[in-house]
Each structure stands twice: as C-alpha cells, then as structure tokens.
Amino acid sequence: MTPSQSVSTSDGLETVLDNATAAATRLAATSPAEIGGLLRAVASELDAHTEELVPLARRESHLPEGRLRGELVRTTFQLRLFAETVEEGAHLKATIDSPDPEWPTGARPDLRRTLLPLGPVLVFAASNFPFAFSVAGGDTASALAAGCPVVVKAHPGHPELSRRTAEIVTGALAEAGAPDGTFALLEGNEPARAALLDERVRAGAFTGSNSGGRALFDLASSRESPIPFYAEMGSVNPAFVTPEAAAGRGAEIARGYLDSYTLGVGQFCTKPGLLLVPASAAQRFRDVLIPEVEQRAPAPMLNEGIETAFHDTLGSLRNHPAVETLVSGRRTEDGVGPSLLYTGARQLVDNRQELAGECFGPVSLLVGYSDTDELLEAAGVFSGELTATVHGNEEESVVAPLFRTLRARAGRLVWNGWPTGVSVSHGMQHGGPYPATTAPTHTSVGTAAIDRFLRPVSFQSAPRAVLPEALRDGNPLGIPRRVNGRMESPEQG
Amino acid sequence: MTPSQSVSTSDGLETVLDNATAAATRLAATSPAEIGGLLRAVASELDAHTEELVPLARRESHLPEGRLRGELVRTTFQLRLFAETVEEGAHLKATIDSPDPEWPTGARPDLRRTLLPLGPVLVFAASNFPFAFSVAGGDTASALAAGCPVVVKAHPGHPELSRRTAEIVTGALAEAGAPDGTFALLEGNEPARAALLDERVRAGAFTGSNSGGRALFDLASSRESPIPFYAEMGSVNPAFVTPEAAAGRGAEIARGYLDSYTLGVGQFCTKPGLLLVPASAAQRFRDVLIPEVEQRAPAPMLNEGIETAFHDTLGSLRNHPAVETLVSGRRTEDGVGPSLLYTGARQLVDNRQELAGECFGPVSLLVGYSDTDELLEAAGVFSGELTATVHGNEEESVVAPLFRTLRARAGRLVWNGWPTGVSVSHGMQHGGPYPATTAPTHTSVGTAAIDRFLRPVSFQSAPRAVLPEALRDGNPLGIPRRVNGRMESPEQG
C-alpha cells in the first residue's frame, strides 16, 4: 500500500477520504523537520524525472520546452522554499502567555496558542501551468507544508502528466515515510464534486476560471458544514501609462506590453488585459504595436476548450460598438496569433460590464484616456484584481492618487514592469478582492500561502505531554515565539 | 458632522455606507500610531462614562452590576491592548524581498508586502455581553485596529445602551480626529440585511446563535461579490472527567462545573453544556450536584426571546427518552433556576443530533461513561467547538488520546479548569471548526482577531512615495519586518 491513490469513481473515493482522514491525524503529530523532509523528497523526485515529465507536459499542453523546464524548476524550488519556511517555524505563530493573576480581564491562566493543520484539502488543478499550479503545484505544496493530506482533482487538459506526477509524488512520500493517504489523485468531475461535499474534506483550493471557481465556492459554502474555499480565478490586470511615461518611453513600454500579454499565448492569470495610454499618444502606441503584433507567429493554445472560449469572448469584444479591432489574430494550423483591440477610457467606464472583464488568451485592449481625471476614473472601474501596473515617472502628480485607487483593488502593484512572472518568494502576493479570488485575506503564491491551511488552537494550563512541541517550555523546536507579548527568537535564529 | 450616525431606515443607510467608504480611504492612509490613538480615545471615553453605562446595561440586560463593571473594564482593556498591538506593528506582517537576479524562479524584483485594511466592516452585536461583544466590543475593536470603518448592527436586547455607547464612541473618535464615517450604528434587521448585501461592505462579523450566524453567512456568501463573514455561533463545550480525577476530586470538580455552567445564567458561549464522568462515579456527582443546583437562586435571563428559546430547547431535551431530569429549574418572578439532566455516553453517541447540541441557558447534561473507550468515542461526537475541557491526572493513559481527539475539534483545550472566562490576551483562541464558527482559521477574541480584517498587498519595484510607511527603507515605523526571509526587529523593539 502506497500513500497515494488515483481514483476516478465515487466508490474509490470512500477509501481515498478514509485514508486522508487517517493521514491527517498522523501528519498533525509530525514535526516541522519531518514535514520539511517530505517536501524536499517530493522536490528531488520531480527533479530526477525532468526528462520524462517535460516531454509529457509538452505533448499535452503545447507549451514550449524552455517554459516547461523553467516551470518545473519553479515547482521544485517552491517545495524546497516551503520546506525551509516550515523548518524555521514562524508560520506556526507560536504564542505563550504565562499565568498572570493581575491581568486586567481577570487572572490569566497559562495560555499557549499554535496553528495546527486543518485536515484533508481538496486541490483543483489548473491547466495553464501543468507543473506550478497542477498536481504538485502551489496549492499542494502549501497544504502539505501545513501538514494537511492532499487530494488533487486532476485537470483533464493534461491527464497523463497528472497521473505520472501523482505517481512520482506518491513514491517520494512513501519513500520518505509519509503516512498512507497523504496524497491522492482524483479524475473526473463526479468524484471531485462528491469529495468537495464530503465532511472529511476540510478545505478546498482552486485555480481557474471565474465560473468554475464561483460554482465550487458556492458548493463549499452550501455544505452542512461550510469549509474555507480558496479560489484564484484570474483577473484583467489593468496597466496604466502616465502622460510622461508615454511621452518619454512609449515605444519601449509598448514592446514590453506586447511581450507580457502574449506570454504563454496569453494564458496567464496575470496577463495585462488592458493598457491605458494618453489618447494623445495612442496613435504612436498603435504605430509601434500593430506591425509587431501582426508579426508574432501563431502558437497553439492549451486545449480546444480554452481556444473555443477565447474565440467566443474575443468575438463579443470585437463586436462591441465601442471597440475597434487593430489586429485580428490569425488562426492557422500552428495555433492562434495575437489580437489587439482599441477603445476609449470613457467607453471603458460606460461599458465596464462588457469591456473590463477577463479574456483568457492572446488579446489585449489598448485604451486611450483624455486626461488624468479620466485615467483615475477608469482605474476605479475595477473591483478585484490580482495585479495592477503603472508606468510613470516618480514625480508625476497622478502617481499617488492612482496608487491609492489601485491598492484598494489589487493584490500586487507593479511599477514600471509587467505583472506576468510571479516570483515565488516571501513578499509575493497573488490574490485580491473578489472576483480575483474568493479569499481576499490570503495569497496562493509565496510562503504566506501555507497560512490558508492552518487553524489556531489554544492550550490552557495544559501539561507538557499534551502540548504540541511548538509550545513546550525550552522551545525544543527552536522556532520564533511570542512570549508574554514579545517576540523571542531562538538561539540559532 | 460627527464621524458616526445612528440609522434605522434604508434611506439613512446610503449616507452611512458612503461615509464609511470615504472613511476607509482615509483610514487606510492613517499611521499605526494614529489608529492606536483612536482606540485609546474610545477606551478612555467609555471608562469615563462607567457610572452612566453600567446602570443602563443593568436595566436592559438584567445582568448583575459586578459582572457588568468587570465586562466594561475588559472592553476598554481590549481596546488598549489592540492599540498596543497596532503600535508594535507585527500584525502588518511587513515583508521585504530585495531584487535578486539569481533567484531560482527567475530574477526577483524588489517585492514588499504588507497588510492593508479590508474596508468597511459590518458588525452584528451580541446580547449576552452588552459591552464586550456589542457596540464597542471585540469585533469593533479589531476592525478599527485593522484600520477599517465599522458599521454596527445594534442588538435589540439593549437598544438604549447601544445608542449611548455609539454616541460615546462617536464623540471620542471625532475628538481624536477620526474621519467622518469611521463608525455608525444601525438598528433593525432591514437596514442590516441591506448593508450586508451592499458592495461597499467588505467583511462581516457576528456573535450569536447558530441559526442567525448561518443565515447571515449564507447571505454574505451569496453576494455577487462574496465577502468574508466571521460568525462565532456558540458551542456545547464538552468537559471530560477522567476516572482518576473523578475518584480523587470529584466533589470539587462538581462544584466548579456548577459554577461554570450557571455563570451569567448559563448565557455564555463557552458554558460547559456536557460533563462526562465515569458511570461508576455518577451517583456521587449527582449526590453533590443535585442539592447545590436546587439551592441556586433563580436569576433573570437576558430577554424574553432568549428565555423562550431556552425553555423550548430544554423541554425537548427533557422529553427525550434517553434523558433523565435530575433538577428541574424553578421559574419564578425573579427568573430561571438552573436545571440538571443526565444521560449515558452510549445514549449521547447514539442520539448525538438531539443531545450534543447547544442549549443556551442555565442547564447542563451530566453524562456517565462506562469505560475510557466509551469516553473517547463520546469525544469523537463533536465536530466544531469553541472549547473542550479535561479534568484528569497527567499520568493517566487516556489523557493523550483524549487530547488528540479534542484538539482536532475545538479551538481551546482547557486542562483542570473551566472554559467560561475568556482571557483577552495574545495566546487566546476563541473560535473553532464549524459549527462553532464559519471561519476556522481565525479567532474573535485576543490580538489575533485583528487579522480578520486585513488584506495583503505587494508592491513591486515601487517608488518610496507610494509605499506604505511599513515598507519604506529605514523602517520609519520601527516595526518587526521579514527582510529577505529573516525577521528583523526594530532597534527599539
């Protein structure tokens, strides 16, 4: 018996969830060092299978080899960074209050608080990052790092890669001593839906479309016992070019924009879907962009479903009376070429429902604004975005109000750069208010993603033997702890 | 114009929410020291009005004066403790990653992450703590501490106290320089429901019944833009007495239990609703408890609605064929006397739906278990509890498995003590899996309660002028920050 199973029927699901429940109890008693070891073991085995996995991913996703190699590096780096984070132990937020008979709210008992794993987590894999947001991607890594068993719903866009990745993860976990049931793969919507509604599943995570994420969030919230459901659902990622930036370096910005919105055939949730430029400079942007967009070679999209949805949404945009088509992307045997559209900021504001939504694929909407008031008004159209980007000069007076408007609406604000390329790091925020996500207080990328799967528990006057190690006298784990309100770093910290 | 309004119509609601939205922008740019000042100002003004507020609370809640004075002290202490927490600044989780061209996921830009306020918060006040969980209670304090404007739905159980408290909070905030719209009071279900569904409200918090909390959670989740809704909905708070503890100090435990379950006329969400004792010792517990329960004087409940609901639930329990009534609480002009019921652990397990639910008021269920296997089985009946309590001796073999079972189910585990009396402290956890709350990853008491109303934002390569002070070079706020993965304490820390 290995610690994983791949299941595509509701019959098999019973065993998967029973095993995950048993594993949850064992993992909850596992030390941070052991959890770190499991993550590192998975990373090593994935690395060791690079030459097998990359071609498999290439066949099923149509993404270029270089990109896939980089994505696998990112995936295993992520597992190791999370291992480091878990070993350091700050994520447990261990807090100790000593007894204090004089405490103003009444004699304070010995109170010790730490975070414990939530229990089995159901992860819905994405199609556009077959490694980094799929079977062994960020959600899986962060749930495992929290000490939660993981059940992954495979994305049908890369079934063979999903199975093979699951086998490798399974083998690595077994070899490293993880309990049975730590990891399992589900295929098909029926068992995934049943799992999401099952009491044994204690949290869900999803990366994908708005309609998919919202439907699953609604299911998770409608349970007899609702559970946290972290859906990351994509974004328009508006980018704004100030008058001075447009005047000073418009051509360079235009080329950066084109590279960013066509990266991965436009199939990034951080793709800049809109670029707002001064109307007075719009002609220059068009002059630079149109020939370059036309020259870009068509490339295959991830799968037929995504391509169909792209052309549907693109068609609606192009048919909108306020939208002018600057470049109509070619459709050839090799795939889809990028498109470029144009509208005015006034039209964007007035038609926000139709024009300020995500179109997943290689298209973006150039938008001309008449003055900075209109620019700020347009920035206020957005309600929840993963990112917002500003190209400007520091001294321009519009910069401060623009950032104030955007920081209330987006999870990451990019200055003189592009939002595609999400660094896996401590300071990363990949999230935002709805509709970017269903959980504005969290991130799905970066070390803080682990927090989503932890639950606080306080122990009041509890004897040493029942305390988690994180809370014991003498700090046996050597982790940072808050003691009587003050942070204490371990000796070796 | 003051920074507060009291509104009981949907017309007035428009202004309240517009003002709260404007205040949100201004508060988001307010320094931690200023936020701390606002909290301290509210605390001082409430303290200064003790002699007016306590009699008002006494009249409307029927709670004894000593308890109400203590509760007001707790409420203002809470505001000051949150001020301290905000001033220290660790709650912002400021994180800085320097640019790193060698970063394994690709050249890392300058990334700086902090937490920003979510925006206007709607707080539903509770009836059973007219100070600590009402207009200026824990939810209000933590939302203000996060920098969020607060709109409180007054509990109809203490309308005059709510209005007067709101006036005092309003006046204190205005005096201390808070923006207009920082605080407002709503009365009535209609405007509260409209507010919860309004896009301008960005989070909700609630303390009260399961049915009320769930209905509001469902509304918040069903919005076009769902928002976090933190409902704390009470709990059974089972308590377990091991064989040795029962044999060695059964009478003392029985008396502690009686004091705890009758505290505040049983109207605490942490009331121990069940006490599991060895069946062999049950007769001795009955002998000690019955005369003492009978002697307790009747006391008035908070209001008629709660009293009616109590008698309904109590009646159902008493009519259950597995339940024996040991003491039937008197109903006199002075109020309600405590009741005591009895059943066996086998019956509890077999009738968990009917017997293992909360009955808010002065009653508890004594439960006899035949052996420690049955004790552990009974402990597994619970799915989400604010607290679970164990009376035992450290060396007993049942203690470790009992804690393992309970820590997966409850937010706070109490050893040889009682769950009533929730310390406002760093290490407190007041929360738990559903049905104790709708947000298992959070607490509604203690300094960590502030986290509920904060949202992470990363700034990528952003110029100094648009960075929040928490993220600027040189650490002008003097707060703890994580820089390139390592915690840095400020000089003055």
Side-chain angles (χ1 to χ4, degrees), chain A residues 259-484:
Chain A
D259 285 345
S260 183
Y261 93 73
T262 59
L263 194 67
V265 203
Q267 300 163 120
F268 275 35
C269 48
T270 52
K271 178 197 83 174
L274 290 175
L275 185 74
L276 283 98
V277 301
S280 56
Q283 191 55 52
R284 273 183 295 128
F285 273 84
R286 294 160 73 135
D287 291 346
V288 173
L289 281 166
I290 292 173
E292 297 226 20
V293 174
E294 283 172 340
Q295 274 170 38
R296 294 277 159 134
M301 294 191 71
L302 288 159
N303 58 59
E304 251 178 63
I306 285 178
E307 188 173 335
T308 304
F310 167 65
H311 286 295
D312 285 353
T313 314
L314 177 61
S316 305
L317 277 174
R318 291 184 52 178
N319 288 333
H320 194 283
V323 172
E324 178 187 352
T325 299
L326 302 184
V327 179
S328 171
R330 282 172 290 159
R331 298 177 73 170
T332 71
E333 282 197 347
D334 294 333
V336 181
S339 294
L340 183 65
L341 310 178
Y342 182 82
T343 194
R346 184 79 264 139
Q347 282 71 35
L348 176 69
V349 169
D350 292 344
N351 302 280
R352 58 185 78 184
Q353 293 296 340
E354 302 90 335
L355 303 186
E358 187 185 18
C359 178
F360 192 78
V363 64
S364 192
L365 184 57
L366 190 65
V367 183
Y369 63 83
S370 59
D371 56 26
T372 53
D373 283 348
E374 205 174 81
L375 174 66
L376 291 171
E377 192 186 352
V381 156
F382 303 94
S383 54
E385 294 289 327
L386 293 172
T387 73
T389 295
V390 178
H391 286 268
N393 290 347
E394 235 180 287
E395 297 73 21
E396 277 180 284
S397 59
V398 72
V399 167
L402 186 54
F403 263 84
R404 268 201 302 280
T405 300
L406 295 176
R407 76 179 211 176
R409 291 165 167 77
R412 179 164 53 108
L413 302 181
V414 180
W415 173 254
N416 289 342
W418 298 101
T420 41
V422 179
S423 190
V424 176
S425 178
H426 306 282
M428 177 48 67
Q429 171 60 20
H430 192 64
Y434 192 91
T437 78
T438 56
T441 63
H442 289 280
T443 180
S444 67
V445 175
T447 50
I450 301 171
D451 299 350
R452 296 176 294 167
F453 305 112
L454 291 164
R455 178 176 78 80
V457 177
S458 284
F459 295 79
Q460 179 170 325
S461 311
R464 185 184 174 286
V466 303
L467 282 177
E469 276 193 295
L471 298 178
R472 290 188 183 172
D473 286 343
N475 196 3
L477 293 181
I479 62 177
R481 310 200 292 188
R482 180 176 291 270
V483 179
N484 296 321

Side-chain angles (χ1 to χ4, degrees), chain A residues 25 28-29 70 73-75 77-78 81 88 90-91 93 95-97 103-109 111-113 115-118 202 214 217-218 221-228 230 353 383 394 399-400 403-404 406-419 421-435 438 440-443 445 447-449 451-468 480 482 484-487 489 492-493, chain B residues 25 28-29 70 73-75 77-78 81 88 90-91 93 95-97 103-109 111-113 115-118 202 214 217-218 221-228 230 353 383 394 399-400 403-404 406-419 421-435 438 440-443 445 447-449 451-468 480 482 484-487 489 492-493:
Chain A
T25 305
V73 167
R74 170 205 172 106
T75 303
F77 169 74
Q78 178 165 259
L81 182 68
E88 187 218 21
H91 71 298
K93 301 185 177 65
T95 303
I96 298 180
D97 292 336
W103 193 250
T105 59
R108 183 174 74 180
L111 274 174
R112 299 176 186 230
R113 184 180 197 263
L115 302 189
L116 296 175
L118 264 181
R202 307 311 290 262
R214 180 61 192 258
F217 169 81
D218 286 345
S221 306
S222 72
R223 290 168 40 132
E224 193 181 317
S225 291
I227 51 171
Y230 306 102
Q353 293 296 340
S383 54
E394 235 180 287
V399 167
F403 263 84
R404 268 201 302 280
L406 295 176
R407 76 179 211 176
R409 291 165 167 77
R412 179 164 53 108
L413 302 181
V414 180
W415 173 254
N416 289 342
W418 298 101
V422 179
S423 190
V424 176
S425 178
H426 306 282
M428 177 48 67
Q429 171 60 20
H430 192 64
Y434 192 91
T438 56
T441 63
H442 289 280
T443 180
V445 175
T447 50
D451 299 350
R452 296 176 294 167
F453 305 112
L454 291 164
R455 178 176 78 80
V457 177
S458 284
F459 295 79
Q460 179 170 325
S461 311
R464 185 184 174 286
V466 303
L467 282 177
R482 180 176 291 270
N484 296 321
R486 299 179 73 84
M487 285 308 300
S489 287
Q492 70 271 40
Chain B
T25 304
V73 167
R74 170 207 172 103
T75 304
F77 170 75
Q78 179 165 260
L81 182 68
E88 188 218 22
H91 71 297
K93 299 185 177 67
T95 304
I96 297 179
D97 292 337
W103 193 248
T105 58
R108 183 175 75 180
L111 274 173
R112 300 177 185 228
R113 185 181 196 260
L115 302 190
L116 296 175
L118 263 182
R202 307 310 291 257
R214 180 62 192 257
F217 169 80
D218 287 344
S221 307
S222 73
R223 287 166 44 132
E224 194 181 317
S225 291
I227 50 171
Y230 305 102
Q353 294 295 342
S383 53
E394 238 180 283
V399 167
F403 262 84
R404 267 200 302 279
L406 295 176
R407 77 179 210 173
R409 291 166 167 76
R412 179 165 54 108
L413 303 180
V414 180
W415 173 254
N416 290 342
W418 297 102
V422 179
S423 192
V424 177
S425 177
H426 306 282
M428 177 49 66
Q429 171 58 21
H430 191 63
Y434 192 90
T438 55
T441 62
H442 289 281
T443 181
V445 176
T447 49
D451 299 350
R452 296 176 295 167
F453 305 111
L454 291 164
R455 179 175 80 78
V457 176
S458 284
F459 295 78
Q460 180 170 324
S461 310
R464 185 184 174 284
V466 303
L467 283 175
R482 180 176 292 270
N484 294 323
R486 301 178 72 85
M487 284 308 301
S489 287
Q492 72 271 41

